[in-house]
Amino acid sequence: MSPTRTPRLKARVAIEHDGQILCVLHAKPDQEPFWCLPGGNVDDGETLHAGAIRELHEEVGVEVETDGVILVVDGPEAGAIEVILRGTIRDGEPSLSVRSGDPYLADFAWIDSHHLPTDFRPPALRTLLQDAGHLAALPTIAIEAWSSDHRPPAP
């Protein structure tokens, strides 16, 4: 029997305002800088939704609400699964936050959804946004949490 895969789970939130998507720039010394959506690792015991809300507050200092998943990106070579949620800002103005604890978070910007940079990650989301024209045109999948009535089957 092969070992069970244990990838990191990441939650990122796509937020659009006036045709522009909120993006953050990551600049790590061992790779080329790249743009992506704000977000990051979901902590143990944390729901995807709670992790997304916490990460956006930490990285760009805003309170958000989400309305569903627009894309799931499986990256076994990177040891991660990224879940991209669609959201809106409930409170605050985006700015880089010292609370993020991410020394590689270099900048943030509102970027036109039709002109996302070629180094935007994940490329599949860049294509989806450019084809759809705007974030609201993308369908979402609801996220439901486990409850006492919906337990996973026993192994």
Side-chain angles (χ1 to χ4, degrees), residues 47-107:
T47 66
L48 189 62
H49 178 74
I53 289 170
R54 177 187 48 75
E55 282 288 337
L56 269 281
H57 188 258
E58 288 176 1
E59 285 196 356
V60 290
V62 296
E63 299 294 326
V64 298
E65 53 188 47
T66 64
D67 67 355
V69 173
I70 58 173
L71 182 65
V72 176
V73 182
D74 184 8
E77 67 284 347
I81 294 174
E82 285 197 11
V83 179
I84 312 295
L85 298 102
R86 184 173 61 195
T88 56
I89 295 176
R90 211 177 49 192
D91 190 39
E93 287 293 322
S95 64
L96 284 186
S97 174
V98 295
R99 289 185 302 253
S100 76
D102 186 344
Y104 309 121
L105 194 58
D107 202 359

Side-chain angles (χ1 to χ4, degrees), residues 146-154:
W146 289 108
S147 70
S148 59
D149 296 337
H150 300 289
R151 293 185 184 163

